[in-house]
Amino acid sequence: PLRILAPDHGVVWRCDPVRVVRWTRAWCERKPTDKVVVVAASMWGSTERMAHAVADGLQEAGLVAKVMPLASNHRSDVATEMLTAGALVVGTPTINNNLFPTVADLLSYLKGLKPKSLIGGAFGSFGWSGEGAKQVQEALTAMKIDCPEPPLAVRYVPGEAELEACHAFGGRIA
C-alpha cells in the first residue's frame, strides 16, 4: 500500500497519500461543475462593481459564483479555485491601452496550467480606450477556453443600465 507520496517538488505526504492521488485524479479530469470563478482587478472600483453584477447574473441562473478580486487574492488561489470550476470570467480595467498588469500576470500563469473543459468571458471598464476586455478574451481563447459572449466593456463608472448589462452578461454565460 502507498505510504508516502514524495514528488520531485512540493510537499511530501506521509499521512493519507491516497487522498492526494484522488484529488489529483479529479483535478486532471477537470469535469465542469456549476461553479464559476469571477476574477477581476480594479483601479477605481468600476471593474469590481461589474464583477459583482456579473456574479449576480450567474447566481440568478443557478450557478455558484466565486468573486475573487486580484487585490486580495493571489493567482495561485485563483488557479486552485479553477480546478473545481466550470467557467472562468475575467474582468480588467484598461490602462495605457492594455489590460491591467495583475490580470496579465494571472492570465500568463493560468496559460501554463493548460486549463481544460472551461467556458469563459471577459469584461472591463475603461476611460479613453477599451482594449483591456478584448485582450482578456484573446488570452482566454488562446488557452482554448470557449467564450460564448463577446467581451463586455463599460466606459467610466458603470451606472444602473451598465450594471444591468453586466447582470445579463452573467446570465447569458450561465
Side-chain angles (χ1 to χ4, degrees):
L2 184 60
R3 294 182 303 126
I4 295 175
L5 184 62
D8 287 349
H9 62 284
V11 177
V12 174
W13 291 84
R14 291 180 175 86
C15 191
D16 198 9
V18 173
R19 176 177 54 165
V20 178
V21 172
R22 283 194 301 268
W23 288 343
T24 304
R25 179 178 290 136
W27 294 333
C28 290
E29 289 174 356
R30 299 193 187 184
K31 292 181 182 175
T33 67
D34 64 353
K35 181 173 88 173
V36 180
V37 175
V38 180
V39 61
S42 197
M43 290 189 297
W44 305 107
S46 296
T47 309
E48 189 166 348
R49 289 180 70 198
M50 293 175 70
H52 288 285
V54 169
D56 288 345
L58 291 160
Q59 290 172 333
E60 190 174 286
L63 300 181
V64 177
K66 179 156 179 104
V67 179
M68 301 185 76
L70 284 175
S72 58
N73 289 278
H74 191 270
R75 65 180 180 229
S76 294
D77 298 325
V78 175
T80 299
E81 288 296 333
M82 276 184 36
L83 292 172
T84 57
L88 172 67
V89 182
V90 181
T92 185
T94 297
I95 182 170
N96 298 328
N97 305 101
N98 286 295
L99 54 106
F100 202 65
T102 55
V103 176
D105 173 70
L106 171 72
L107 293 171
S108 177
Y109 183 71
L110 296 179
K111 181 180 179 182
L113 297 175
K114 299 181 179 164
K116 294 180 184 173
S117 304
L118 288 175
I119 65 164
F123 64 94
S125 61
F126 66 97
W128 294 275
S129 64
E131 295 89 348
K134 182 181 176 190
Q135 291 169 355
V136 167
Q137 183 127 343
E138 289 168 356
L140 294 174
T141 302
M143 286 187 263
K144 297 184 173 57
I145 295 175
D146 180 34
C147 296
E149 289 291 312
L152 176 63
V154 171
R155 188 169 206 169
Y156 302 124
V157 178
E160 190 175 318
E162 291 83 7
L163 292 174
E164 179 54 41
C166 294
H167 185 275
F169 179 76
R172 290 190 304 274
I173 290 174

